[in-house]
Amino acid sequence: METALMMLQTYVGDPVISRLKFGRWLEFFQYISRFIGDGRHTLYLEELQWLCSYDDELISDFKIAWDNYLRQNKQLIVVLCGSSPSFMVSRVVKSKALYGRSQHQLHVKPFTIEECRTYFGPDYIDLAVMDAYLSVGGIPEYLSYLKSSKSPYLELCREAFTPDGYFFNECERIFVSNLANNPHYRPILELLANSRFLTRSEIAQHLQIAAGGTLTALLLELEASGFINHYVPYDKQENSKIVRYEIADSYLQFYYRFVAPQSKKIKSGMFQDNPTKALNLRDYHQWLGYSFERWCRANHQRLAKILGFSAVNYDVGPFFSRSTPSHFQMDLVFRRADKVLTICEIKYSRMPTGKSVLQEFERKMELFDIPPRHSVERVLITASGCDQSVIGAGYFDSIVTLQDLDLPITLGRGQ
């Protein structure tokens, strides 16, 4: 409240205001109503979770003030802004006190891959841009660090594996500013970040908590906040009990997979002179492959358009079941209304995909039950294309590369 009074003092030009004392937020709103009762004004409450101290007093007092004082001014705009998605969803968007009182909800979303491509410009090749996007997501602030030189990979290592690096320290900032109101958030995110996916029971078992209402609430809050995601097989309803959870936040996934395990070495300055030593390229490229799978699932409409059936209704998702091995998953399946099953194998590598993908796909097909009266379309989605042996085999009906994803800027000259 002290900060709010200082800002009001600056706005009004009265130094006495900063010395006022209020017992609760309602008194504060009553006081400022004299300054914003008429005319065009904007009342902007930033970092709302901190102003509220993560409780409901400010929200309930604001409701009273709005109903009795502030709403009389039809030109007044009130903006409630917070960087804690879970708090804003549970205490503001879904607040009973504010029900029916808000006109607009503005969710500031990350860049799409097209916007990321435009942001980096023509001097960066598509693979480098996609690597950056998969590594830290579409947060413009994050991407600005990777764009500071011609090599996003080098900048990622510098900022992640040196003591003063932005990505080395960002994780703690997230938990202080965004996820401070529940101590269970961190262990859930750590667990999912170090796993390709987990079931609800596996999460409960690892964390040694009951798989009941408390876990349900935690998972719902983290998903509403955009930190995690859940998915079901393509042939199951959304409320199916066969569900897998995965982390959705690219940066946190990268941090817990590659940065956190080397925290002591990073703090000691071991990688200061050569930060790329800290990142095992083989592990990193494999991890990028899993991230690319998630990106493809999230962008299934783009793929449907490229493959020519976007006008056809379809169900979409991976394939797995209780009868298949726990590690097994068919990357992406479209069950189309025209009785075609489009089955996608997704590869993300530096080199063109080789002939081994044919045997790998066939092994997966042995565990896959094709619905009656459905034909199968086999699709390979590969970042770097495939070699002639794959093309010559004629096994896949379609092969999709990064260039086919129709990014707005074509290949550049350098990285």
Side-chain angles (χ1 to χ4, degrees):
M1 192 178 299
E2 289 79 6
T3 302
L5 287 171
M6 290 178 63
M7 296 302 296
L8 183 61
Q9 169 190 310
T10 302
Y11 176 75
V12 176
D14 185 352
V16 175
I17 291 177
S18 64
R19 296 195 291 271
L20 295 176
K21 300 293 182 183
F22 298 112
R24 58 183 298 152
W25 279 101
L26 180 58
E27 297 174 8
F28 171 79
F29 290 127
Q30 287 174 323
Y31 180 77
I32 67 170
S33 66
R34 71 181 67 182
F35 301 105
I36 59 177
D38 298 301
R40 297 184 63 180
H41 298 280
T42 300
L43 177 60
Y44 184 83
L45 301 179
E46 187 178 13
E47 294 295 359
L48 190 66
Q49 72 277 4
W50 293 116
L51 291 176
C52 292
S53 299
Y54 283 98
D55 64 34
D56 294 323
E57 181 187 293
L58 187 152
I59 299 298
S60 60
D61 281 5
F62 175 76
K63 171 190 178 299
I64 299 172
W66 176 258
D67 290 345
N68 291 280
Y69 313 110
L70 303 178
R71 69 182 299 179
Q72 310 306 323
N73 182 358
K74 302 301 182 183
Q75 293 181 293
L76 174 64
I77 297 174
V78 179
V79 180
L80 305 180
C81 178
S83 62
S84 171
S86 61
F87 180 87
M88 294 301 293
V89 169
S90 62
R91 304 295 182 87
V92 180
V93 175
K94 297 183 178 180
S95 168
K96 293 181 180 179
L98 299 181
Y99 181 78
R101 291 171 175 80
S102 63
Q103 290 182 303
H104 304 285
Q105 296 174 17
L106 178 60
H107 180 194
V108 182
K109 296 183 178 180
F111 278 174
T112 64
I113 186 61
E114 293 97 334
E115 292 166 335
C116 182
R117 170 74 275 187
T118 300
Y119 177 68
F120 271 86
D123 291 334
Y124 296 83
I125 64 172
D126 286 341
L127 193 62
V129 173
M130 183 61 84
D131 281 356
Y133 193 81
L134 295 176
S135 297
V136 300
I139 306 298
E141 179 73 7
Y142 292 177
L143 295 171
S144 69
Y145 284 91
L146 302 190
K147 191 190 174 189
S148 59
S149 78
K150 292 299 181 182
S151 173
Y153 167 74
L154 179 58
E155 293 306 318
L156 176 67
C157 292
R158 284 175 177 166
E159 298 296 339
F161 302 112
T162 58
D164 297 324
Y166 182 86
F167 295 127
F168 179 61
N169 296 287
E170 171 65 359
C171 183
E172 285 306 312
R173 288 191 288 264
I174 288 174
F175 282 102
V176 169
S177 63
N178 292 26
L179 296 170
N181 59 324
N182 196 308
H184 295 294
Y185 289 152
R186 188 190 292 261
I188 291 176
L189 289 170
E190 284 184 30
L191 180 63
L192 288 175
N194 285 293
S195 307
R196 187 179 176 187
F197 51 75
L198 288 173
T199 65
R200 179 191 178 87
S201 59
E202 287 172 334
I203 295 173
Q205 181 179 355
H206 277 85
L207 299 179
Q208 297 183 340
I209 60 177
T214 299
L215 180 59
T216 297
L218 289 169
L219 295 175
L220 286 173
E221 288 172 7
L222 286 172
E223 188 158 12
S225 304
F227 286 102
I228 69 171
N229 187 31
H230 82 277
Y231 60 89
V232 297
Y234 79 96
D235 56 346
K236 302 297 180 184
Q237 297 297 319
E238 183 65 23
N239 60 357
S240 171
K241 293 183 178 180
I242 307 177
V243 59
R244 287 176 173 175
Y245 290 88
E246 62 185 3
I247 194 163
D249 188 281
S250 299
Y251 162 70
L252 285 179
Q253 187 185 56
F254 177 85
Y255 176 85
Y256 281 116
R257 176 64 180 84
F258 298 108
V259 181
Q262 304 190 86
S263 179
K264 289 184 179 180
K265 293 180 180 179
I266 296 170
K267 288 179 180 178
S268 72
M270 179 176 290
F271 308 114
Q272 187 76 49
D273 295 332
N274 188 4
T276 59
K277 284 177 58 179
L279 188 58
N280 183 293
L281 275 178
R282 184 166 176 250
D283 291 345
Y284 176 56
H285 290 159
Q286 183 184 50
W287 176 86
L288 286 173
Y290 297 144
S291 297
F292 187 57
E293 288 177 21
R294 284 187 287 273
W295 184 87
C296 288
R297 288 204 303 272
N299 289 270
H300 59 84
Q301 291 177 320
R302 179 199 301 267
L303 294 171
K305 183 177 180 180
I306 292 171
L307 294 168
F309 59 84
S310 58
V312 179
N313 288 332
Y314 60 78
D315 297 317
V316 63
F319 169 74
F320 57 93
S321 68
R322 289 193 175 97
S323 61
T324 57
S326 60
H327 64 276
F328 170 81
Q329 181 170 292
M330 192 73 84
D331 296 336
L332 187 63
V333 180
F334 296 86
R335 183 173 61 179
R336 296 158 42 179
D338 56 2
K339 299 297 183 182
V340 176
L341 213 63
T342 298
I343 305 176
C344 303
E345 178 71 12
I346 301 171
K347 296 294 182 186
Y348 193 83
S349 61
R350 312 290 100 182
M351 302 296 294
T353 301
K355 197 171 183 178
S356 61
V357 71
L358 306 179
Q359 294 180 335
E360 182 180 345
F361 194 88
E362 272 299 300
R363 286 196 298 269
K364 289 185 178 181
M365 289 298 295
E366 292 174 0
L367 298 171
F368 189 84
D369 294 325
I370 300 173
R373 299 183 297 279
H374 277 67
S375 59
V376 173
E377 178 186 35
R378 296 173 174 84
V379 175
L380 175 63
I381 304 171
T382 172
S384 302
C386 53
D387 61 34
Q388 193 58 43
S389 64
V390 176
I391 298 173
Y395 181 82
F396 289 103
D397 299 289
S398 298
I399 297 174
V400 179
T401 67
L402 286 187
Q403 287 70 49
D404 297 315
L405 296 177
D406 195 27
L407 301 183
I409 294 179
T410 56
L411 287 173
R413 294 184 299 275
Q415 190 171 342

